[in-house]
């Protein structure tokens, strides 16, 4: 004879369990069952713990919430290169989807990371760069794989970052800028190079902001719209020009592109890139601009107009100075502040999100400090009072 539903053991157990849940609540019941070794919930899927290094790399580069997807194109290029290098060290080719089934958790150990950095980072600067990348990589792909404690241990041991010695921005003096501008007029594509330098020093732009088009330039109002740093979909913002930069820009565009106004539609003309080596179809690359600027700086160093070594009083020795396209940005900022321009206005002109980034430029040249102290109200008093000493004092 078949059991009635009410008499079936499964129904009876179900009814009693439901009564206990109603009386004590699910949390308390699970807690009590757990204390005697009985779990109601299934263990977490271990799939994430078996993630391969290739899968981790693909997740980092493709997941919409990854840090990689939320940085500028230039930073993406750097991150991808670092990802490729890290995977290649462990025999994984991310470009051809070739994996040796290396598990991600196997390579994210202090010893493996230290071995990697020792092998590929020959200078402290390179080690810092690669360690900073690995911190970002781990934070993006290994939060479900490693405990917070283990991630902190990796950051403190293998990926430790010493604070570098603070170095003031290296800028050009007014005389050096004048020399470099004149030097650019002797180069191939002289007018273009001359205008690039005027744009750098007369706006404070970054090199990757020089990829603007004719339609982005308003010489009447003195500004250029450029793509802002820090976002994947980079909105255009205004960069204002000094009178010298406006004059150079107006002459260059007229001389280079005015003959195309009659043969191109208005939108086609406005879409031409201002700085180009193929008649405006494509922008001049960052590398080409940096190479041109580097050549001018090297010539100025050879001619003793620029010194590439300065005395560091803290270290008690000479240190090498690295000038670059960014030095024009430093120059723009430093001289703006020296002239008395409000630091918050300088922040807006440079496009800094934080005032802390602009405060770095409060470090002036030694000679600028001397000029400032010479203007102190006591300076003339001291001169008058010490005349009796004679000679130079």
């Amino acid at each position: 004879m078949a059991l009635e539903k009410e008499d079936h053991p499964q129904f009876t157990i179900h009814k009693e369990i439901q009564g206990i849940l109603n009386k004590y609540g699910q949390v308390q019941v699970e807690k009590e069952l757990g204390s005697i070794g009985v779990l109601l919930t299934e263990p977490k899927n271990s799939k994430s713990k078996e993630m391969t290094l290739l899968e981790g790399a693909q997740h980092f580069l493709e997941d919409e919430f990854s840090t990689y997807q939320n940085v500028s194109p230039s930073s993406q290029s750097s991150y991808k290169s670092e990802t490729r290098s890290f995977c290649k060290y462990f025999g994984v080719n991310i470009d051809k989807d070739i994996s040796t089934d290396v598990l991600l958790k196997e390579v994210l150990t202090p010893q493996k990371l230290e071995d990697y950095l020792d092998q590929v980072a020959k200078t402290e600067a390179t080690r810092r760069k690669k360690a900073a990348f690995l911190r970002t990589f781990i934070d993006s792909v290994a939060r479900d794989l490693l405990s917070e404690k283990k991630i902190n241990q990796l950051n403190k041991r293998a990926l430790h970052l010493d604070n570098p010695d603070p170095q003031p921005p290296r800028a050009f003096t007014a005389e050096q800028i004048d020399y470099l501008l004149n030097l650019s007029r002797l180069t191939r594509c002289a007018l273009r190079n001359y205008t690039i330098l005027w744009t750098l020093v007369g706006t404070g732009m970054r090199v990757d902001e020089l990829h603007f088009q004719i339609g982005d330039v308003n010489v009447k109002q003195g500004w250029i719209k450029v793509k802002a740093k820090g976002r994947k979909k980079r909105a255009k913002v205004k960069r204002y020009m000094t009178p010298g930069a406006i004059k150079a820009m107006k002459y260059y565009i007229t001389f280079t592109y005015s003959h195309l106004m009659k043969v191109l539609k208005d939108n086609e003309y406005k879409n031409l890139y201002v700085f180009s080596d193929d008649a405006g179809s494509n922008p001049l690359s960052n590398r080409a601009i940096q190479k041109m600027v580097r050549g001018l700086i090297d010539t100025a160093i050879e001619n003793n107009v620029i010194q590439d070594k300065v005395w560091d009083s803290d270290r008690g020795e000479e240190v090498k100075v690295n000038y670059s396209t960014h030095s024009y940005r430093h120059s723009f900022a430093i001289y703006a502040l020296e002239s008395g321009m409000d630091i918050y206005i300088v922040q807006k002109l440079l496009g800094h999100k934080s005032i802390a980034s602009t405060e770095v430029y409060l470090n002036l040249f030694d000679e600028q400090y001397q000029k400032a102290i010479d203007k102190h109200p006591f300076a003339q008093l001291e001169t008058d009072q010490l005349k009796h000493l004679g000679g130079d004092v």
Side-chain angles (χ1 to χ4, degrees):
M1 178 177 177
L3 290 173
E4 295 292 330
K5 183 177 180 182
E6 289 76 7
D7 298 327
H8 197 286
Q10 182 177 349
F11 179 80
T12 303
I13 293 173
H14 182 275
K15 186 175 180 180
E16 291 178 355
I17 290 175
Q18 190 63 52
I20 294 173
L21 287 171
N22 291 338
K23 184 175 182 179
Y24 297 104
Q26 181 175 340
V27 174
Q28 185 63 33
V29 170
E30 287 189 2
K31 183 178 179 181
E32 294 302 321
L33 288 173
S35 68
I36 61 173
V38 179
L39 297 177
L40 290 181
T41 56
E42 294 181 1
K44 290 184 178 180
N45 192 332
S46 62
K47 183 178 179 181
S48 62
K49 295 185 178 181
E50 299 303 319
M51 179 184 286
T52 66
L53 177 56
L54 178 61
E55 290 169 339
Q58 291 171 336
H59 176 83
F60 178 69
L61 297 174
E62 298 170 8
D63 187 83
E64 62 178 319
F65 297 109
S66 169
T67 301
Y68 176 85
Q69 296 293 342
N70 295 287
V71 297
S72 66
S74 59
S75 295
Q76 286 185 339
S77 177
S78 177
Y79 279 163
K80 189 165 187 177
S81 176
E82 292 293 345
T83 304
R84 182 182 293 110
S85 174
F86 181 61
C87 291
K88 183 179 179 181
Y89 178 81
F90 294 102
V92 176
N93 188 327
I94 65 171
D95 297 309
K96 297 182 179 180
D97 288 349
I98 296 176
S99 173
T100 55
D101 294 327
V102 176
L103 296 180
L104 186 59
K105 65 180 180 181
E106 291 178 352
V107 303
L108 297 184
T109 67
Q111 190 60 54
K112 291 286 182 65
L113 296 180
E114 285 176 1
D115 290 345
Y116 168 70
L117 292 174
D118 289 341
Q119 181 68 29
V120 300
K122 303 302 181 184
T123 66
E124 183 60 29
T126 303
R127 188 182 187 92
R128 284 183 57 82
K129 177 183 177 183
K130 292 186 176 297
F133 159 73
L134 288 172
R135 282 170 169 247
T136 301
F137 178 79
I138 290 170
D139 187 65
S140 292
V141 305
R143 282 291 171 186
D144 295 332
L145 180 65
L146 305 177
S147 67
E148 191 74 27
K149 182 179 179 180
K150 187 167 184 179
I151 291 176
N152 289 336
Q153 288 177 339
L154 290 177
N155 288 341
K156 289 179 180 179
R157 289 180 56 186
L159 307 179
H160 177 68
L161 297 176
D162 291 320
N163 291 324
D165 294 335
Q167 292 290 330
R170 182 51 54 180
F172 299 117
T173 65
E175 292 76 13
Q176 289 169 343
I177 288 174
D178 185 59
Y179 181 85
L180 291 166
L181 283 166
N182 287 327
L183 201 60
S184 70
R185 297 166 70 178
L186 303 177
T187 61
R188 176 180 169 272
C189 302
L191 181 58
R192 184 193 67 191
N193 295 343
Y194 179 75
T195 309
I196 287 175
L197 260 59
W198 258 117
T199 305
L200 287 170
V201 78
T203 65
M205 281 188 190
R206 303 175 179 89
V207 66
D208 61 353
E209 293 177 341
L210 291 173
H211 304 159
F212 52 84
Q213 298 161 300
I214 291 177
D216 296 321
V217 181
N218 189 322
V219 292
K220 289 184 178 180
Q221 296 186 22
W223 49 257
I224 304 169
K225 283 189 175 180
V226 302
K227 291 183 178 179
K229 177 185 177 183
R231 295 183 295 274
K232 185 182 178 184
K233 295 180 179 179
R234 302 168 74 183
K236 289 187 177 182
V237 298
K238 292 179 181 177
R239 293 283 184 265
Y240 290 89
M241 297 182 280
T242 62
I246 293 172
K247 186 175 181 180
M249 181 65 66
K250 182 178 180 180
Y251 181 84
Y252 171 72
I253 291 177
T254 301
F255 181 85
T256 308
Y257 294 107
S258 60
H259 68 287
L260 295 175
M261 292 184 69
K262 295 181 180 180
V263 298
L264 294 177
K265 295 179 181 178
D266 184 59
N267 66 312
E268 292 176 335
Y269 175 76
K270 289 182 177 180
N271 286 336
L272 293 174
Y273 287 96
V274 174
F275 299 125
S276 172
D277 58 6
D278 59 2
S281 297
N282 296 284
L284 202 60
S285 69
N286 290 353
R287 186 180 296 275
I289 296 171
Q290 291 164 340
K291 183 178 179 180
M292 180 272 291
V293 171
R294 184 70 250 173
L296 296 175
I297 293 171
D298 287 342
T299 300
I301 291 173
E302 291 172 6
N303 294 337
N304 294 317
V305 177
I306 293 176
Q307 287 69 48
D308 64 341
K309 289 185 178 180
V310 296
W311 180 259
D312 188 317
S313 56
D314 293 331
R315 300 183 185 183
E317 62 181 0
E318 279 192 330
V319 295
K320 188 172 178 62
V321 177
N322 293 315
Y323 291 95
S324 67
T325 53
H326 220 62
S327 296
Y328 290 95
R329 183 170 167 84
H330 296 332
S331 304
F332 176 87
I334 285 177
Y335 286 110
L337 291 168
E338 188 195 29
S339 71
M341 188 179 292
D342 185 89
I343 190 170
Y344 291 98
I345 293 178
V346 177
Q347 177 192 359
K348 296 300 181 183
L349 291 174
L350 293 172
H352 286 155
K353 291 183 178 179
S354 168
I355 193 66
S357 300
T358 314
E359 287 174 344
V360 155
Y361 297 106
L362 292 173
N363 296 289
L364 305 179
F365 298 119
D366 289 343
E367 57 265 31
Q368 289 173 304
Y369 284 119
Q370 188 59 55
K371 289 178 183 177
I373 200 67
D374 287 345
K375 294 178 182 179
H376 193 283
F378 289 163
Q380 186 58 45
L381 174 64
E382 291 169 350
T383 301
D384 293 340
Q385 288 292 323
L386 298 175
K387 283 182 180 178
H388 66 280
L389 294 179
D392 295 328
V393 295

